[in-house]
Structures are given as C-alpha cells and as structure tokens.
Amino acid sequence: MKFILSLVALLITVSSCKSNTEVVENSKTMQEHLSGTYYITQLEGNDITLNKLEITFDETSNKVNGTAGCNSFFGNYSKENKTITFGDIGATKKLCSKNIMAIEAYFLKSLSLVDSFSVDANGGISLLANDKILITATRTAQTTKKSDEINDNYITAVKYQTSTRGFFNFILISKNKIAISEDRSLQNIKNYNIDATQWNELKSLIDATDLEGLFKLTPPSQNHQHDGAAHATLALQIGDIEYMTPTFDHGNPPKAIEALVNKVLSIKENSVKQ
C-alpha cells in the first residue's frame, strides 16, 4: 500500500513539473511572438511619442512596415529566438521639416543596427543593438485629442497645388493670410488677408480630417495621368508635420476631402476679388 501511495505521489510530482515546464515554454513562445502593430515611445531614451512612429510585424511573411514620422517605410526581417535583423528598408519620399526628417533618419538607421529584442509583461518591445536599447514601443497608442493637437499654438496651414504642362497654381492658407502664386519656382507670391470667419470655418474642416489617412485616399478618377485634368494635391501642415494626399484630378477630389478642397478654392476666389 505504501509503495502504491509513493508511486502516485511521484506521478503527481512529475506531472506538476511537466505542467510548469509547459507554462514556462508557452510563456517564452508568447514572448517571442511579434506579429502586430507597435507604437514607438522612445528612441535611445528620448521620448518621441508625439512624432507618432509606428512599426508593424507580420510573422507569416516576415514583412515589416510602418510610419517613420514623415514617410512610410517597408521591408523584411528575420528572427530566431531573441535575435532579429532587418533587411533593406525602403521608404516613401515625402519631405517634412528638418527636425522631423532628422528623427526619421535616426530611427531608420537604428533599425539597421538592431540585433535582438525583448518583450515586456505588457507586450511592449525593446529593440537592441549590442545589448543597448535603441527603440522602445508599446502595443497601445498614445491618445491625443485632435482638438488639442490642432490649435493656434501650432503652425496650421492648408496647401493646395494644381498643375499641367502649361499651368501652375499654388495656394497656401494659414490663420493670418492666404498666399497665391502661379510661379512654379514660388518666387512671385501674392499675399492676402483672410477673414477670421473663413479661417474658423476652414479650421473646422481641418479638425474633422483624418490626417493619418490622407496619404491612403484613392482618387475617384485618374484623368490627370493622360492630361485629361490638372494634377492636384492637398497638404495639411500641422506643427512640424505635413500630411499630403496622393495626386488626384483637379475638380474631382476624393469625397473625404471634397468639402475642404472646395472651401480652399472659395477662400482663394474671394481673396482675389478683394
């Protein structure tokens, strides 16, 4: 009887050890799992939360993409246990302010140096090079109300540009003025005052715009590709960051920005008539 009880106790102990081992192994597997989107909070210890950098891993294809602050980036990566390396990273070619571009360049350079990663208890990650943390990111985005982000303490402006082979028109509207030019080099610019009421109406449309979604808009027509319409782009300057749409047909903007474009053109026409 004692032998049987001892055997049972031994089996329970072995089973318990096996269960604990499986929990540890499952925990390690979960920690090594990277798929999903992360929001960059620090770059070598510097808080860059407001720059809204993001990185997304797809472990089914070993692809990586994200937002580097101004431009979107994309590429591939390889991972084994806690080691990770990034392949050639490509990026779009949009230009922003010098400060934004400097952070972007530093971030992309840091990615190329990364050789390992760690995952914290909340699912956030740290990307390291030679055991030094270069990039820290979380699973949860920092929430900033657009009404707080877009205010008169920031440089807020709307830029609308149209062109054909023989025609060019540039409109830049900010709180205090509207600048208009038909000179491609922008050497000759006419400035006009803007009515406070018109600015407030325009700013309300800016506040309602999905800034991060502007570059993803799909033009409803493509006549500009074969000279059937003037090329047009809309850009919103918010602080140091410029958000720009893809090129679309002048006179037929994407629905999401139609009211904003019409308001810009209306303000321009009213200013010129003064």
Side-chain angles (χ1 to χ4, degrees):
M1 182 69 177
K2 290 183 179 180
F3 173 76
I4 294 175
L5 291 174
S6 298
L7 181 60
V8 170
L10 177 61
L11 290 173
I12 292 174
T13 301
V14 171
S15 176
S16 177
C17 291
K18 182 179 179 182
S19 177
N20 289 336
T21 300
E22 289 176 348
V23 168
V24 172
E25 288 179 349
N26 289 338
S27 176
K28 288 182 179 178
T29 300
M30 287 179 65
Q31 288 183 348
E32 292 172 357
H33 177 73
L34 280 181
S35 280
T37 297
Y38 299 82
Y39 304 91
I40 312 299
T41 56
Q42 293 189 346
L43 188 57
E44 283 208 27
N46 297 308
D47 188 343
I48 58 167
T49 304
L50 293 180
N51 291 75
K52 296 187 177 180
L53 276 64
E54 299 177 14
I55 185 168
T56 299
F57 295 91
D58 182 354
E59 292 198 331
T60 61
S61 61
N62 280 358
K63 298 292 185 182
V64 63
N65 64 77
T67 303
C70 179
N71 288 283
S72 300
F73 68 91
F74 42 86
N76 53 65
Y77 70 97
S78 58
K79 177 178 74 70
E80 183 176 356
N81 296 324
K82 292 297 184 181
T83 65
I84 185 171
T85 55
F86 294 89
D88 292 335
I89 298 292
T92 54
K93 302 298 183 182
K94 186 172 66 175
L95 293 177
C96 293
S97 71
K98 290 183 179 180
N99 290 340
I100 296 297
M101 297 304 291
I103 292 175
E104 176 171 292
Y106 196 70
F107 169 70
L108 294 177
K109 177 65 174 178
S110 296
L111 277 185
S112 70
L113 300 176
V114 166
D115 56 23
S116 62
F117 72 97
S118 64
V119 181
D120 64 32
N122 296 318
I125 61 170
S126 294
L127 301 177
L128 305 86
N130 297 321
D131 295 325
K132 177 183 179 181
I133 296 178
L134 298 184
I135 299 167
T136 304
T138 66
R139 283 281 194 176
T140 305
Q142 286 280 359
T143 56
T144 302
K145 292 182 180 180
K146 191 174 293 185
S147 59
D148 291 335
E149 179 181 327
I150 302 176
N151 57 56
D152 292 336
N153 293 325
Y154 285 76
I155 301 170
T156 303
V158 184
K159 181 169 66 178
Y160 186 72
Q161 185 171 301
T162 58
S163 64
T164 63
R165 295 181 184 180
F167 167 82
F168 177 83
N169 192 260
F170 172 88
I171 306 168
L172 178 65
I173 305 176
S174 60
K175 181 181 179 181
N176 298 316
K177 68 177 183 179
I178 173 171
I180 301 172
S181 179
E182 296 180 359
D183 177 11
R184 292 180 189 272
S185 65
L186 299 180
Q187 295 299 309
N188 299 309
I189 299 177
K190 295 181 179 179
N191 294 309
Y192 302 87
N193 293 326
I194 181 171
D195 180 82
T197 301
Q198 289 191 321
W199 169 252
N200 289 334
E201 292 174 354
L202 181 65
K203 189 168 179 297
S204 294
L205 292 171
I206 296 173
D207 291 347
T209 301
D210 176 13
L211 300 176
E212 287 78 11
L214 279 182
F215 79 97
K216 301 177 183 177
L217 292 178
T218 301
S221 57
Q222 299 282 350
N223 294 327
H224 64 274
Q225 293 184 351
H226 49 79
D227 295 334
H231 295 65
T233 56
L234 176 82
L236 298 179
Q237 177 85 24
I238 309 297
D240 289 328
I241 305 178
E242 182 178 272
Y243 303 87
M244 181 179 288
T245 67
T247 301
F248 56 88
D249 291 348
H250 176 54
N252 190 26
K255 290 295 182 183
I257 59 169
E258 184 176 16
L260 182 55
V261 169
N262 289 340
K263 188 61 180 177
V264 168
L265 296 176
S266 174
I267 292 175
K268 182 249 185 177
E269 291 301 320
N270 290 334
S271 298
V272 170
K273 290 177 181 179
Q274 291 178 359

